Amino acid sequence: MRRVLRSSVMVMTAVAAVLVAGCGSESSIVDRYSSAGWPAMHADARNSDTSAVTGSRDLDFAWSRPLGGPVAAYASVAANGQSFVTARTENGCNLFSFQMDSGRKKWCNRLNDGAVASTPIVDTSTNVYVGESGAMLSFTENGQLRWRTLVVGTPLSAQFTGDGNLLFITQLGQINVLNPQTGAKVVSSFDLIPPPSIEAPNSPLIPDDRGLRECFLGTAGCPVANTPAIDLATGKFFFTFFRPGAQAAELVAMKYTGGEHPSITPEWSTDALPGGTASSPDLSKDTKKVYVTDNNGKLWAIDAETGDSLWSYDIGFNSAGSASTSDDGLIIPSGGGNGHLLAVQDKGDHAELAWERKDLLQLGVPAQSAGDTGYAVVREGTNGLSLITFDTSSGETLDQDTLPGAVGFTVGTSIGPDGEVLTPSAIGELFVFK
C-alpha cells in the first residue's frame, strides 16, 4: 500500500544561503565524494556498498587496532588512505583516525557517547563530519574542530547533497542540511515527529541519545535507524521511518531543493514491506529503483518516482544490514543471524538468483569492487571469523583470510583507494587487509 504524505505538512524554507545553485540537473552537481576510498558509510550517495577500485583477489592480513569499546558503524576511508572509525568507550577517545600504510594512529578525539552510531563522512579535502548526541561536528584531516552545530537527537551517518551541502537525519527524526564550511543550517530543521508544543511547556525533554541501542534492530524506539540514500541530480532522498504508533517502519521519500529558496518537501511513503525494515535503502545506478530488505526475509525493488512495488524476492533470511548493489544490478544482501552468502540479479520486472553459497554463514556486510570481486566476513571454525574474497559473477571463493582473535560478527566492510579492505568487529577492533 502506498500513501502520499499529507499536503498539510509545512514546507520548510531557507534561513541561510546555500553555497551554489540547486540540485536541478547533473551538470550542476557539486561532488564532494572522493572518487577513491570509502567516503561515506555505504560508500556513496546511493548507498551502493561498492567501490570503483579494482579489488585484489589475493589479500593478506596487514594490521589490526583495538578501539577500547564496541563498534556499531563502518570505517570510512579518505582518498589519501586515512581511515576514520568511532567506538563506544568508557574513557579516552571514541573517534579515531589511522594511517593506512602503518596502522599508526594519526589522531583521536573524545565526543559524547552517541558518536558510536555515526560513521564519519569525508569530503575531497579530507574534512571529516561526524555526529554525537545533540550535535553534528566537523574536523580537519588533522583532528582540529572546525565547527559544532546543535541538533535534536543523534545524527546518524550523513550524506552530501547535489549542491554540496551536508544532509543527515537523527534517530529522533530531525532532518538537517548544513553548510559544510560553517555548519550553519541551510534550511530550517524538518521534524518528522513534531516537538513538544509551547502550549505544554512542562513536557519532559527527550534525551538526545534515546533509542540508539534499538537502531541496530530498527524497532520503534529508534524512529529513523539508517543512512539516507540520495539522488544527487534531483535532490530526492530515501530513508526508513518508524512512525509513532505504527506497527512497522515505512520507506519514505522526500526532496531537498537548493538554490535561493531551499526547502525539504515530502514525496511519498510506503508501508508495503512486511514486518517493516531495518536496513538502509540503496538506489540503482540509474536512480529509478530503491532496493531495501524487509523483516520477513525478502528483498524489494520500489519505484523511486512513485513508491510502488516493482518486485520482491525471497532471500530466505532477515538481512541485518544493507545490501551491496553493483552498477549492473547484482545485489548481494548482508547476512543475519542465519544468513548465507548469495547474489540476486535485477531483471527489470523481476529478480533471479544469480548464485548462492549455503556453506558460508555470513557474519558481516558484503562489499563489491570493480573487476568482479567481492568481500564478506563469514564464520570460520566454531567461533572465529574470516574474510572471504569471492568472484561476484559466480560466488567462487578466491581467497580466505582469518581475522586474528575475532569473534561474534563485524559491522561493515570498506574498501580503500588501493584496494585495502577494512572491517571493524562489533566487540571493538579494526582489521585491515592488503
Side-chain angles (χ1 to χ4, degrees), residues 306-391:
T306 66
D308 294 327
S309 301
L310 300 174
W311 54 254
S312 66
Y313 183 89
D314 189 352
I315 60 174
F317 56 87
N318 290 346
S319 179
S322 297
S324 172
T325 305
S326 70
D327 289 357
D328 61 358
L330 185 72
I331 307 167
I332 305 177
S334 61
N338 60 348
H340 59 280
L341 188 63
L342 61 85
V344 173
Q345 183 66 55
D346 185 348
K347 293 292 187 178
D349 61 353
H350 70 286
E352 295 180 0
L353 180 69
W355 51 261
E356 65 180 333
R357 294 285 307 275
K358 290 188 175 180
D359 58 313
L360 297 175
L361 177 63
Q362 204 183 165
L363 293 170
V365 182
Q368 298 184 67
S369 66
D372 294 331
T373 304
Y375 308 96
V377 173
V378 301
R379 168 70 71 223
E380 181 180 77
T382 304
N383 296 308
L385 300 175
S386 64
L387 178 72
I388 289 285
T389 303
F390 60 93
D391 188 305

Side-chain angles (χ1 to χ4, degrees), residues 118-434:
S118 181
T119 289
I121 185 172
V122 192
D123 65 19
T124 52
S125 299
T126 322
N127 295 311
V128 184
Y129 309 84
V130 62
E132 65 175 8
S133 295
M136 174 62 79
L137 304 89
S138 179
F139 297 90
T140 69
E141 66 174 303
N142 296 315
Q144 298 168 311
L145 181 65
R146 300 175 67 227
W147 48 258
R148 181 176 184 268
T149 299
L150 299 179
V151 298
V152 174
T154 300
L156 302 187
S157 301
Q159 295 279 24
F160 294 117
T161 63
D163 61 356
N165 291 310
L166 186 76
L167 183 148
F168 57 90
I169 310 175
T170 72
Q171 96 286 11
L172 298 182
Q174 187 181 83
I175 305 172
N176 284 285
V177 182
L178 307 184
N179 180 319
Q181 300 301 320
T182 65
K185 293 184 179 182
V186 170
V187 61
S188 297
S189 299
F190 190 109
D191 291 299
L192 294 165
I193 302 174
S197 170
I198 59 173
E199 297 177 358
N202 294 324
S203 298
L205 293 176
I206 299 174
D208 288 317
D209 62 352
R210 191 178 77 173
L212 283 182
R213 293 180 183 272
E214 295 188 48
C215 292
F216 185 77
L217 300 174
T219 51
C222 180
V224 180
N226 296 295
T227 304
I230 298 184
D231 181 346
L232 294 178
T234 65
K236 283 187 179 180
F237 58 101
F238 308 85
F239 58 95
T240 62
F241 178 37
F242 213 124
R243 298 178 186 278
Q247 297 299 309
E250 300 178 358
L251 179 65
V252 176
M254 299 187 74
K255 187 172 184 178
Y256 161 71
T257 58
E260 294 183 1
H261 303 287
S263 64
I264 297 172
T265 55
E267 292 281 312
W268 52 257
S269 70
T270 177
D271 58 4
L273 307 176
T277 177
S279 69
S280 296
D282 52 290
L283 285 168
S284 60
K285 177 65 174 179
D286 62 8
T287 69
K288 293 182 179 180
K289 294 178 181 178
V290 187
Y291 301 114
V292 65
T293 54
D294 66 21
N295 288 331
N296 201 29
K298 288 186 178 181
L299 170 70
W300 291 76
I302 305 295
D303 188 305
E305 180 66 27
T306 66
D308 294 327
S309 301
L310 300 174
W311 54 254
S312 66
Y313 183 89
D314 189 352
I315 60 174
F317 56 87
N318 290 346
S319 179
S322 297
S324 172
T325 305
S326 70
D327 289 357
D328 61 358
L330 185 72
I331 307 167
I332 305 177
S334 61
N338 60 348
H340 59 280
L341 188 63
L342 61 85
V344 173
Q345 183 66 55
D346 185 348
K347 293 292 187 178
D349 61 353
H350 70 286
E352 295 180 0
L353 180 69
W355 51 261
E356 65 180 333
R357 294 285 307 275
K358 290 188 175 180
D359 58 313
L360 297 175
L361 177 63
Q362 204 183 165
L363 293 170
V365 182
Q368 298 184 67
S369 66
D372 294 331
T373 304
Y375 308 96
V377 173
V378 301
R379 168 70 71 223
E380 181 180 77
T382 304
N383 296 308
L385 300 175
S386 64
L387 178 72
I388 289 285
T389 303
F390 60 93
D391 188 305
T392 58
S393 63
S394 66
E396 176 189 1
T397 297
L398 304 172
D399 190 22
Q400 184 166 352
D401 299 277
T402 297
L403 277 65
V407 295
F409 57 94
T410 62
V411 294
T413 304
S414 311
I415 299 173
D418 294 321
E420 307 91 345
V421 178
L422 301 83
T423 185
S425 68
I427 61 174
E429 187 166 3
L430 177 63
F431 295 87
V432 176
F433 299 83
K434 296 182 181 180

